[in-house]
Amino acid sequence: MERLIIVVAVLPLISALLIQLFAGRIGRGIARLSVVFTTLSFILSCVLLALALMGSEIQTFSLGSSVSVLLFDPLSILLATIILGISLIVHLYSVRYMAEEAAYGQFFVLLDLMTAALLFMVLAGDLITLVISWYLVGIVLYFLLGQDTRSQTAYRFAFWTLITYRIGDIPLILAAALLYNAYDTWSLTVIFDAIMANPDAHQVLGLPLTQVVAGLIGLSAFARSAQFLLHTWLPYTMDGPTPVSALMHAGIVNAGGFLINRFAPVFIHSGDVLNWIFIVGLVTAIFGSLLMLTQNDIKKALGYSTMGQMGFMIMECGVGAFSLAIYHMFAHGIFKGTMFLSAGGVINQARQDDGVPKDELYTFAVEKQPNKASQPWLLMAAVTLAVPLVILIFSHLLISQDYFHKQGAIVLLFFGWVTGAQLIFATYRMRAQNIWRLVGLSILSLLVVVLGYVFISHAFDLFLYPDPEFRAQLYQAATIDILRFDVLVAFVALTVVLGWVITYFGERSGYHRRQKSKRLWLNFYALISREFYVTDIYTRLTRLILSISSRLNVWLRWI
Amino acid sequence: MPDLLTTLLAGIFLPLFPMSMVFNAILDKVKYNWLRALLFLGWPLVGLLILQNSNPEMPDWVLILALTTSFLYALRMLTLREVNQWSGFLATSLWGLLWLPVIQGVSAELLYWFAISMSIPLVLMVFLSAGLEKRFGAAYTGLYGGLARTIPRYSGVLVTVVVAATATPLFPTFFIMLDMVVETISNKPVAALALLLIWLLWSWAGARLIQGLIVGRASKFKVVDMNINAISFYSIVLIALLASGVYLSGVIL
């Protein structure tokens, strides 16, 4: 029965081939053909997911050689089902949305090819299949984003995506080559078994192989999941068709989280690579969220929002909460896909009526008018300060010296709760002044986070990593020493407090700042509005390379 | 000394800079498409034949020069606008890398296979370039643009051939490159990195070529799109290349 996984992966390919061959004869009916094949594949993947949930064994299926193997395990089948679910929604949406496009058939061919590439990526049982599908996702995405061949802009930004993805291919290929040289096999399961049995068997340039490979896999994941400095492609690729944006933000961009999960046995023995992954995720989450707030284009704001979410997802991997990252991927995929697919409708509606109520939130956020009451602010400041302190005190004194820094995910979620609760405080407070309701909401948010973490994360943990020892090893691998942990918590706590203090005084003075601080603020705003000059630096660098290329051609007389 | 002379002579055909300029100068002068196609197919084979017959001792600098040559031409491809020149530079960059398997002692049969697999997409490029010259009078990127709207079938084939030529899966060059990286990563990690960088430049150059040719509004000129017979020909060759790539993966990986 599990062998059906081959059919699941191959169906979109057959659909693409049929559309290519018969597009001329069946005209616009090709969309229906594509939808039928995707539905069929989705149903089969659901059946296989049910089998996996019932405890079906991990199996591999060869497609004819040792370098084309599909893997049936909980991670692969869960992600295949998610991909097919999102792809099906995108297919259904595209049937009418793309109807006016000249290359209607070609769009569905590419959509099916993309679905197939993503499926092969998550189902890959060997390094070659993984590298090929990883590479092809970038290529197919380039053409999907450049669907409108009249638009130079669409192609310009599609190229940004392509080149970032290609840069991300390099570390993956290096990692695959290193693993093959060390273990003399392309099979992922064989390599992982060997690593689990003897993690320190191989060295590269004086470093443990697992550490080098984990670092390379991390780099590859960063490029695919738009981590800071490799993120510029994500918010700019909005000239592509909306269904492609939805597929990209709901599915493709999550590939980094998948890759880290796939190589979980390597990350267990990766030294402090997970700590670095955490830091990159943290920086991305902060920068992504900050940039999202300054956008005036709904799709670009969604792009930066995705970047922030990807930062969180990578952070979760960095604290050892691998299965939580998969849940995040799933939840964010559904959420962001819906937002993209409804973005057009929202824009259309907003053209008729902006729908923004002229309430206190409006006067504060848009008109920059001060609010009067200060009591909830003090309460918020107290909560902001108290929660990190309580965490520290409890972790060090009452529970155990190392409990919380082993369970970094919980700490992360607590801080997530603090931020979320404060947002609810702030937003709600400006709408009504009911302090008890405020406190009630904040406690509710805590319950949602804690229960959500306990139940959902535990369920995903049990399904994806059923071995408790393996799970413990994952958290252990993400452990940081007590001093660094304390410094990190103190830093985050101080940043949050500082943010609130600034907001508080800003609100009290109604943003009528002194000249000096106003200039400082404007400079900061300019920095954010230029997106920290990252794109400008890349553009300069590109021009420099092209200028060198051109000069070389002139000097060497074009031969 | 004879070893050095043989290596230098082979360096004309398996391009080593500055001998690499010979091929591009000849390609520039040749006006017949069939001769260009023949040059693309035969040039690296001559180099391999020379090496096979003389079996010279390879000095260490050959690998460095081969990688430098390949990198140089990959970099120079970025700003080329003429399709024939672009194909010539890509050929130089690709064939330069054949020194790696030669140094590693890969069998002669496999080396010929590598060379032919690398050259076939370039031969297709020659015919496609000729088609552009016939329709528009020149095969320059950015000169007319919008081919995807003007001649969509032709553009589809052109894009696929560029993708095949720039070592994209599942075409043979992809597996050859992968094999080279695998073979060099342990002993010469810097060479493996250089290979990947060159590969990246090919993708960049390919994207620039595609964008310069197919993107934009439809041309005002009325030109005929590719006919079914031609499409069938290109499709068969490309499918054969794909099949050969898949087969090659089983042989070398």
mmCIF file of all heavy atoms in Angstrom, chain B residues 78-101:
data_model
loop_
_atom_site.group_PDB
_atom_site.id
_atom_site.type_symbol
_atom_site.label_atom_id
_atom_site.label_comp_id
_atom_site.label_asym_id
_atom_site.label_seq_id
_atom_site.Cartn_x
_atom_site.Cartn_y
_atom_site.Cartn_z
ATOM 1 N N LEU B 78 28.495 36.819 -18.834
ATOM 2 C CA LEU B 78 27.436 37.619 -18.210
ATOM 3 C C LEU B 78 27.058 38.841 -19.041
ATOM 4 O O LEU B 78 25.919 39.283 -19.018
ATOM 5 C CB LEU B 78 27.874 38.094 -16.817
ATOM 6 C CG LEU B 78 28.073 37.014 -15.752
ATOM 7 C CD1 LEU B 78 28.585 37.630 -14.460
ATOM 8 C CD2 LEU B 78 26.773 36.279 -15.485
ATOM 9 N N THR B 79 28.031 39.386 -19.756
ATOM 10 C CA THR B 79 27.731 40.617 -20.503
ATOM 11 C C THR B 79 27.733 40.405 -22.013
ATOM 12 O O THR B 79 27.844 41.367 -22.764
ATOM 13 C CB THR B 79 28.725 41.731 -20.125
ATOM 14 O OG1 THR B 79 30.023 41.163 -20.055
ATOM 15 C CG2 THR B 79 28.367 42.372 -18.813
ATOM 16 N N LEU B 80 27.618 39.166 -22.434
ATOM 17 C CA LEU B 80 27.540 38.920 -23.881
ATOM 18 C C LEU B 80 26.099 39.069 -24.343
ATOM 19 O O LEU B 80 25.170 38.655 -23.669
ATOM 20 C CB LEU B 80 28.036 37.512 -24.198
ATOM 21 C CG LEU B 80 29.546 37.314 -24.187
ATOM 22 C CD1 LEU B 80 29.869 35.903 -24.600
ATOM 23 C CD2 LEU B 80 30.241 38.286 -25.126
ATOM 24 N N ARG B 81 25.955 39.635 -25.518
ATOM 25 C CA ARG B 81 24.597 39.844 -26.037
ATOM 26 C C ARG B 81 24.340 39.048 -27.312
ATOM 27 O O ARG B 81 23.210 38.935 -27.746
ATOM 28 C CB ARG B 81 24.369 41.335 -26.303
ATOM 29 C CG ARG B 81 24.456 42.165 -25.029
ATOM 30 C CD ARG B 81 24.568 43.641 -25.349
ATOM 31 N NE ARG B 81 23.334 44.145 -25.889
ATOM 32 C CZ ARG B 81 22.351 44.665 -25.152
ATOM 33 N NH1 ARG B 81 22.501 44.755 -23.848
ATOM 34 N NH2 ARG B 81 21.258 45.120 -25.690
ATOM 35 N N GLU B 82 25.396 38.509 -27.883
ATOM 36 C CA GLU B 82 25.213 37.777 -29.144
ATOM 37 C C GLU B 82 25.167 36.277 -28.857
ATOM 38 O O GLU B 82 26.049 35.734 -28.164
ATOM 39 C CB GLU B 82 26.374 38.117 -30.089
ATOM 40 C CG GLU B 82 26.012 38.035 -31.555
ATOM 41 C CD GLU B 82 26.238 36.639 -32.130
ATOM 42 O OE1 GLU B 82 27.226 36.014 -31.744
ATOM 43 O OE2 GLU B 82 25.406 36.189 -32.926
ATOM 44 N N VAL B 83 24.136 35.615 -29.346
ATOM 45 C CA VAL B 83 23.875 34.227 -28.965
ATOM 46 C C VAL B 83 25.027 33.299 -29.366
ATOM 47 O O VAL B 83 25.425 32.427 -28.580
ATOM 48 C CB VAL B 83 22.535 33.739 -29.578
ATOM 49 C CG1 VAL B 83 22.284 32.277 -29.227
ATOM 50 C CG2 VAL B 83 21.385 34.597 -29.090
ATOM 51 N N ASN B 84 25.603 33.479 -30.565
ATOM 52 C CA ASN B 84 26.698 32.609 -31.005
ATOM 53 C C ASN B 84 27.927 32.764 -30.124
ATOM 54 O O ASN B 84 28.567 31.780 -29.757
ATOM 55 C CB ASN B 84 27.079 32.937 -32.453
ATOM 56 C CG ASN B 84 26.237 32.122 -33.402
ATOM 57 O OD1 ASN B 84 26.024 30.934 -33.189
ATOM 58 N ND2 ASN B 84 25.726 32.769 -34.432
ATOM 59 N N GLN B 85 28.243 34.029 -29.827
ATOM 60 C CA GLN B 85 29.381 34.290 -28.943
ATOM 61 C C GLN B 85 29.146 33.674 -27.571
ATOM 62 O O GLN B 85 30.041 33.070 -26.978
ATOM 63 C CB GLN B 85 29.539 35.803 -28.777
ATOM 64 C CG GLN B 85 30.748 36.348 -29.481
ATOM 65 C CD GLN B 85 30.868 37.855 -29.290
ATOM 66 O OE1 GLN B 85 29.984 38.515 -28.737
ATOM 67 N NE2 GLN B 85 31.955 38.394 -29.778
ATOM 68 N N TRP B 86 27.921 33.830 -27.099
ATOM 69 C CA TRP B 86 27.534 33.288 -25.785
ATOM 70 C C TRP B 86 27.768 31.776 -25.779
ATOM 71 O O TRP B 86 28.346 31.231 -24.829
ATOM 72 C CB TRP B 86 26.063 33.622 -25.530
ATOM 73 C CG TRP B 86 25.568 33.320 -24.142
ATOM 74 C CD1 TRP B 86 25.568 34.168 -23.087
ATOM 75 C CD2 TRP B 86 24.982 32.094 -23.689
ATOM 76 N NE1 TRP B 86 25.024 33.548 -21.985
ATOM 77 C CE2 TRP B 86 24.663 32.276 -22.332
ATOM 78 C CE3 TRP B 86 24.698 30.872 -24.275
ATOM 79 C CZ2 TRP B 86 24.062 31.277 -21.557
ATOM 80 C CZ3 TRP B 86 24.115 29.871 -23.508
ATOM 81 C CH2 TRP B 86 23.804 30.076 -22.165
ATOM 82 N N SER B 87 27.328 31.118 -26.850
ATOM 83 C CA SER B 87 27.490 29.660 -26.931
ATOM 84 C C SER B 87 28.980 29.301 -26.954
ATOM 85 O O SER B 87 29.402 28.325 -26.320
ATOM 86 C CB SER B 87 26.830 29.112 -28.197
ATOM 87 O OG SER B 87 25.504 29.540 -28.253
ATOM 88 N N GLY B 88 29.783 30.086 -27.679
ATOM 89 C CA GLY B 88 31.216 29.833 -27.761
ATOM 90 C C GLY B 88 31.887 29.951 -26.399
ATOM 91 O O GLY B 88 32.711 29.117 -26.021
ATOM 92 N N PHE B 89 31.507 30.982 -25.670
ATOM 93 C CA PHE B 89 32.105 31.179 -24.337
ATOM 94 C C PHE B 89 31.661 30.069 -23.376
ATOM 95 O O PHE B 89 32.453 29.598 -22.560
ATOM 96 C CB PHE B 89 31.709 32.550 -23.772
ATOM 97 C CG PHE B 89 32.562 33.682 -24.269
ATOM 98 C CD1 PHE B 89 33.181 33.624 -25.518
ATOM 99 C CD2 PHE B 89 32.772 34.807 -23.500
ATOM 100 C CE1 PHE B 89 33.977 34.652 -25.991
ATOM 101 C CE2 PHE B 89 33.574 35.854 -23.957
ATOM 102 C CZ PHE B 89 34.172 35.782 -25.207
ATOM 103 N N LEU B 90 30.388 29.679 -23.493
ATOM 104 C CA LEU B 90 29.915 28.589 -22.613
ATOM 105 C C LEU B 90 30.682 27.307 -22.933
ATOM 106 O O LEU B 90 31.085 26.569 -22.028
ATOM 107 C CB LEU B 90 28.403 28.380 -22.772
ATOM 108 C CG LEU B 90 27.794 27.252 -21.936
ATOM 109 C CD1 LEU B 90 28.030 27.486 -20.439
ATOM 110 C CD2 LEU B 90 26.290 27.114 -22.172
ATOM 111 N N ALA B 91 30.879 27.069 -24.242
ATOM 112 C CA ALA B 91 31.635 25.880 -24.647
ATOM 113 C C ALA B 91 33.035 25.915 -24.043
ATOM 114 O O ALA B 91 33.512 24.918 -23.481
ATOM 115 C CB ALA B 91 31.719 25.817 -26.168
ATOM 116 N N THR B 92 33.686 27.074 -24.122
ATOM 117 C CA THR B 92 35.042 27.210 -23.570
ATOM 118 C C THR B 92 35.037 26.920 -22.075
ATOM 119 O O THR B 92 35.910 26.213 -21.559
ATOM 120 C CB THR B 92 35.563 28.645 -23.821
ATOM 121 O OG1 THR B 92 35.279 28.998 -25.167
ATOM 122 C CG2 THR B 92 37.037 28.757 -23.563
ATOM 123 N N SER B 93 34.035 27.490 -21.395
ATOM 124 C CA SER B 93 33.942 27.298 -19.948
ATOM 125 C C SER B 93 33.684 25.825 -19.600
ATOM 126 O O SER B 93 34.272 25.291 -18.659
ATOM 127 C CB SER B 93 32.820 28.182 -19.406
ATOM 128 O OG SER B 93 32.810 28.176 -18.019
ATOM 129 N N LEU B 94 32.817 25.179 -20.380
ATOM 130 C CA LEU B 94 32.477 23.766 -20.124
ATOM 131 C C LEU B 94 33.671 22.857 -20.420
ATOM 132 O O LEU B 94 34.058 22.032 -19.588
ATOM 133 C CB LEU B 94 31.309 23.350 -21.017
ATOM 134 C CG LEU B 94 29.897 23.756 -20.598
ATOM 135 C CD1 LEU B 94 28.953 23.600 -21.784
ATOM 136 C CD2 LEU B 94 29.414 22.911 -19.440
ATOM 137 N N TRP B 95 34.240 23.021 -21.604
ATOM 138 C CA TRP B 95 35.320 22.113 -22.022
ATOM 139 C C TRP B 95 36.566 22.263 -21.153
ATOM 140 O O TRP B 95 37.295 21.299 -20.943
ATOM 141 C CB TRP B 95 35.688 22.352 -23.489
ATOM 142 C CG TRP B 95 34.570 22.085 -24.450
ATOM 143 C CD1 TRP B 95 33.494 21.277 -24.245
ATOM 144 C CD2 TRP B 95 34.404 22.645 -25.757
ATOM 145 N NE1 TRP B 95 32.675 21.300 -25.339
ATOM 146 C CE2 TRP B 95 33.206 22.127 -26.287
ATOM 147 C CE3 TRP B 95 35.132 23.531 -26.521
ATOM 148 C CZ2 TRP B 95 32.730 22.456 -27.548
ATOM 149 C CZ3 TRP B 95 34.678 23.869 -27.784
ATOM 150 C CH2 TRP B 95 33.482 23.337 -28.291
ATOM 151 N N GLY B 96 36.778 23.474 -20.664
ATOM 152 C CA GLY B 96 37.935 23.683 -19.775
ATOM 153 C C GLY B 96 37.876 22.754 -18.571
ATOM 154 O O GLY B 96 38.890 22.303 -18.057
ATOM 155 N N LEU B 97 36.657 22.480 -18.140
ATOM 156 C CA LEU B 97 36.497 21.622 -16.958
ATOM 157 C C LEU B 97 36.786 20.151 -17.244
ATOM 158 O O LEU B 97 36.923 19.359 -16.312
ATOM 159 C CB LEU B 97 35.084 21.778 -16.391
ATOM 160 C CG LEU B 97 34.737 23.168 -15.859
ATOM 161 C CD1 LEU B 97 33.315 23.188 -15.340
ATOM 162 C CD2 LEU B 97 35.698 23.584 -14.749
ATOM 163 N N LEU B 98 36.852 19.798 -18.535
ATOM 164 C CA LEU B 98 37.131 18.390 -18.862
ATOM 165 C C LEU B 98 38.524 17.965 -18.389
ATOM 166 O O LEU B 98 38.815 16.779 -18.281
ATOM 167 C CB LEU B 98 36.993 18.168 -20.375
ATOM 168 C CG LEU B 98 35.561 18.061 -20.891
ATOM 169 C CD1 LEU B 98 35.534 18.062 -22.408
ATOM 170 C CD2 LEU B 98 34.865 16.812 -20.356
ATOM 171 N N TRP B 99 39.382 18.967 -18.120
ATOM 172 C CA TRP B 99 40.716 18.633 -17.595
ATOM 173 C C TRP B 99 40.620 17.892 -16.258
ATOM 174 O O TRP B 99 41.492 17.085 -15.929
ATOM 175 C CB TRP B 99 41.550 19.904 -17.427
ATOM 176 C CG TRP B 99 42.087 20.422 -18.726
ATOM 177 C CD1 TRP B 99 41.563 21.420 -19.482
ATOM 178 C CD2 TRP B 99 43.240 19.955 -19.430
ATOM 179 N NE1 TRP B 99 42.309 21.618 -20.622
ATOM 180 C CE2 TRP B 99 43.361 20.728 -20.609
ATOM 181 C CE3 TRP B 99 44.184 18.961 -19.195
ATOM 182 C CZ2 TRP B 99 44.359 20.541 -21.533
ATOM 183 C CZ3 TRP B 99 45.207 18.782 -20.107
ATOM 184 C CH2 TRP B 99 45.291 19.558 -21.276
ATOM 185 N N LEU B 100 39.584 18.197 -15.497
ATOM 186 C CA LEU B 100 39.454 17.560 -14.168
ATOM 187 C C LEU B 100 39.319 16.048 -14.274
ATOM 188 O O LEU B 100 40.103 15.318 -13.663
ATOM 189 C CB LEU B 100 38.275 18.165 -13.391
ATOM 190 C CG LEU B 100 38.625 19.382 -12.553
ATOM 191 C CD1 LEU B 100 38.546 20.643 -13.375
ATOM 192 C CD2 LEU B 100 37.696 19.482 -11.371
ATOM 193 N N PRO B 101 38.327 15.551 -15.052
ATOM 194 C CA PRO B 101 38.249 14.086 -15.195
ATOM 195 C C PRO B 101 39.475 13.505 -15.889
ATOM 196 O O PRO B 101 39.860 12.379 -15.605
ATOM 197 C CB PRO B 101 36.981 13.858 -16.019
ATOM 198 C CG PRO B 101 36.567 15.168 -16.545
ATOM 199 C CD PRO B 101 37.169 16.209 -15.674
#
